[in-house]
Amino acid sequence: LAKTTQPISMDSYEGQEVNITCSHNNIATNDYITWYQQFPSQGPRFIIQGYKTKVTNEVASLFIPADRKSSTLSLPRVSLSDTAVYYCLVGDMRSGGGNKLTFGTGTQLKVEL
Amino acid sequence: DAGVTQSPTHLIKTRGQQVTLRCSPKSGHDTVSWYQQALGQGPQFIFQYYEEEERQRGNFPDRFSGHQFPNYSSELNVNALLLGDSALYLCASSLEGGPNSPLHFGNGTRLTVT
């Protein structure tokens, strides 16, 4: 399973763009990159998933360079409610891959006024 | 469309006792995974069930066992509870056969062992 490394914590202010980078040097060919958000005493919530280049949805963008050894989650114009732990996961999402995702300790994002 | 539901939300047990946690997957999902999350840590994979069988298992002792029913719901059983088993237990469901099927998590069961 590919190991991921991400910053332990980040601070930002409301209205700013936040970029959280994750390193996954030993990512395998069939691995996808998935980001989750978790608030205290709640389960992780799916944010975005990608395989290569750029993926965008209504809440975030995910940038993946050609070598796929890292990825960057971009949160545009954060608000106080974005204060949470963000997890970067790498795993084989194919049928039979088992979705046995490995969570690290995540990045604690704190957004202030 | 109901998401993943877990019961109970909180539970207090004594060391040595046994506990059963329950999970109903998101509608349309057929695969259930269980995770243990200690305070301040990321979730740790316990095992996954598909077609009523344990398909994958993480680094957890045999005291942790599970079951999946024909309606895809699942139970997690922990025997001979230890103080270190105190954690948030998360259930996640997904759709087998969906190539990009992300996990959908419930809000967990907070287990306290005294």
Side-chain angles (χ1 to χ4, degrees):
Chain A
L1 296 171
K3 179 179 168 60
T4 60
T5 303
Q6 50 183 123
I8 293 174
S9 64
M10 294 183 69
D11 294 328
S12 184
Y13 294 96
E14 274 202 318
Q16 289 191 330
E17 177 184 75
V18 171
N19 296 309
I20 306 174
T21 297
C22 178
S23 297
H24 29 80
N25 291 319
N26 60 338
I27 188 170
T29 301
N30 295 320
D31 286 345
Y32 280 75
I33 301 155
T34 311
W35 286 80
Y36 284 84
Q37 174 194 57
Q38 187 177 27
F39 300 110
S41 298
Q42 292 187 23
R45 183 176 73 97
F46 171 82
I47 301 175
I48 197 166
Q49 182 182 87
Y51 184 80
K52 61 180 180 180
T53 63
K54 176 183 175 182
V55 180
T56 297
N57 62 21
E58 63 275 10
V59 299
S61 295
L62 178 60
F63 299 91
I64 306 168
D67 65 7
R68 304 200 327 122
K69 293 184 183 299
S70 67
S71 59
T72 299
L73 174 72
S74 180
L75 304 172
R77 299 181 299 281
V78 294
S79 64
L80 293 175
S81 63
D82 292 316
T83 294
V85 178
Y86 291 82
Y87 293 98
C88 162
L89 293 89
V90 173
D92 188 343
M93 308 301 288
R94 294 174 304 164
S95 171
N99 290 352
K100 183 184 175 182
L101 299 180
T102 299
F103 287 77
T105 52
T107 298
Q108 173 67 63
L109 173 65
K110 182 179 179 182
V111 180
E112 300 176 281
L113 287 173
Chain B
D1 181 18
V4 178
T5 57
Q6 294 186 242
S7 63
T9 55
H10 295 83
L11 203 52
I12 299 175
K13 289 287 188 178
T14 303
R15 205 169 29 174
Q17 286 187 317
Q18 178 264 344
V19 68
T20 297
L21 310 181
R22 295 177 176 82
C23 171
S24 292
K26 178 180 169 64
S27 178
H29 284 184
D30 56 9
T31 303
V32 173
S33 303
W34 287 91
Y35 285 79
Q36 179 196 65
Q37 186 173 26
L39 206 58
Q41 303 295 316
Q44 300 299 306
F45 177 78
I46 302 176
F47 43 53
Q48 181 183 82
Y49 278 84
Y50 172 66
E51 291 188 339
E52 302 179 46
E53 290 192 359
E54 183 183 294
R55 179 163 66 177
Q56 291 199 54
R57 189 178 185 91
N59 189 25
F60 279 81
D62 292 344
R63 298 186 298 109
F64 290 77
S65 63
H67 189 77
Q68 186 180 34
F69 299 94
N71 67 352
Y72 308 121
S73 67
S74 177
E75 289 182 349
L76 164 66
N77 301 293
V78 186
N79 294 322
L81 284 167
L82 304 173
L83 295 179
D85 295 331
S86 295
L88 180 67
Y89 287 85
L90 296 162
C91 170
S93 71
S94 57
L95 177 62
E96 177 68 11
N100 301 322
S101 177
L103 293 172
H104 290 254
F105 285 84
N107 283 330
T109 294
R110 173 72 63 187
L111 172 65
T112 302
V113 182
T114 62

